[in-house]
Amino acid sequence: MTLALLMILHSSLFTLHSMAQKFALVDMDYIFKNIPAYERANEQLNQVSKKWQAEVDALQIEAQTLYKNYQNEVVFLSQEQKKARQDAIMEKEKEAAELKKKYFGPQGELFKKRTSLMTPIQEEVYNAVKEVADLRGYQLVLDRASDQGIIFGSPKIDISNEILSKLGYSN
């Protein structure tokens, strides 16, 4: 009886082991910090960001100076002069806001520059993660340094189509 129980237990453990999925962790921050091209790209982005921010700051300072001058001289100005000064101040503020949006907006120059510099490096890292995952049989790779979580997931463990079928939708 003991031998039969051991054989059943061994068989069950083997089945569980063969069904077990293999997972791995990576620390993307650590990986990127150790890639010189990534660090150079970050430094380049910091430099261009500082340059562009200085341009925006200069326009904002001009607007502030115009406003301070207006405040100091408002009692001596005619209605037309007041209106002209107010328009000039608003125009300078608008110019600063537009430049800021151009450089730092969601689809601005900094975003485009970051994409052009970082995407090739990120793709290279992703491909390396995928190769290691395939080589070692990992079906899921998680990033321990990020909220993003999954870096690579084997399509073999994706049950999305099965879920859609269960819900009555075909793919």
Side-chain angles (χ1 to χ4, degrees):
M1 184 97 172
T2 310
L3 183 59
L5 186 59
L6 282 174
M7 288 181 68
I8 291 171
L9 183 59
H10 182 269
S11 175
S12 296
L13 287 175
F14 178 75
T15 302
L16 284 174
H17 178 70
S18 66
M19 290 175 53
Q21 297 171 350
K22 291 178 73 178
F23 303 98
L25 293 175
V26 294
D27 186 333
M28 295 302 281
D29 287 344
Y30 171 78
I31 291 170
F32 285 128
K33 284 179 183 171
N34 284 283
I35 297 175
Y38 188 84
E39 290 298 308
R40 284 192 303 272
N42 258 337
E43 184 56 35
Q44 191 175 351
L45 287 171
N46 287 337
Q47 293 299 323
V48 76
S49 178
K50 286 178 187 176
K51 176 183 174 261
W52 289 340
Q53 186 61 51
E55 290 179 34
V56 171
D57 290 346
L59 286 176
Q60 289 173 334
I61 289 169
E62 282 183 48
Q64 290 170 355
T65 302
L66 287 173
Y67 180 73
K68 286 177 186 174
N69 292 341
Y70 171 77
Q71 289 291 343
N72 291 336
E73 300 167 0
V74 71
V75 293
F76 305 112
L77 300 175
S78 68
Q79 280 305 110
E80 295 81 31
Q81 290 172 322
K82 286 180 186 178
K83 176 85 170 99
R85 295 270 186 101
Q86 290 169 354
D87 289 347
I89 293 166
M90 289 174 36
E91 184 59 36
K92 193 58 72 175
E93 288 173 342
K94 182 180 173 191
E95 192 179 335
E98 287 174 356
L99 188 62
K100 185 175 185 174
K101 183 180 176 185
K102 174 186 172 191
Y103 287 149
F104 302 108
Q107 297 298 317
E109 296 299 318
L110 187 62
F111 172 81
K112 291 174 187 171
K113 187 133 185 96
R114 177 175 285 118
T115 300
S116 72
L117 290 172
M118 297 301 194
T119 299
I121 300 166
Q122 291 167 335
E123 286 175 355
E124 183 181 14
V125 170
Y126 170 80
N127 289 333
V129 168
K130 186 178 179 324
E131 285 177 31
V132 170
D134 288 342
L135 180 68
R136 296 207 176 169
Y138 297 131
Q139 295 173 317
L140 191 66
V141 178
L142 302 168
D143 182 6
R144 68 174 4 164
S146 137
D147 303 358
Q148 306 276 330
I150 298 173
I151 301 298
F152 168 77
S154 172
K156 295 174 190 171
I157 64 170
D158 186 342
I159 61 169
S160 302
N161 288 329
E162 186 177 343
I163 299 299
L164 285 173
S165 293
K166 184 102 174 142
L167 293 170
Y169 299 102
S170 60
N171 42 339

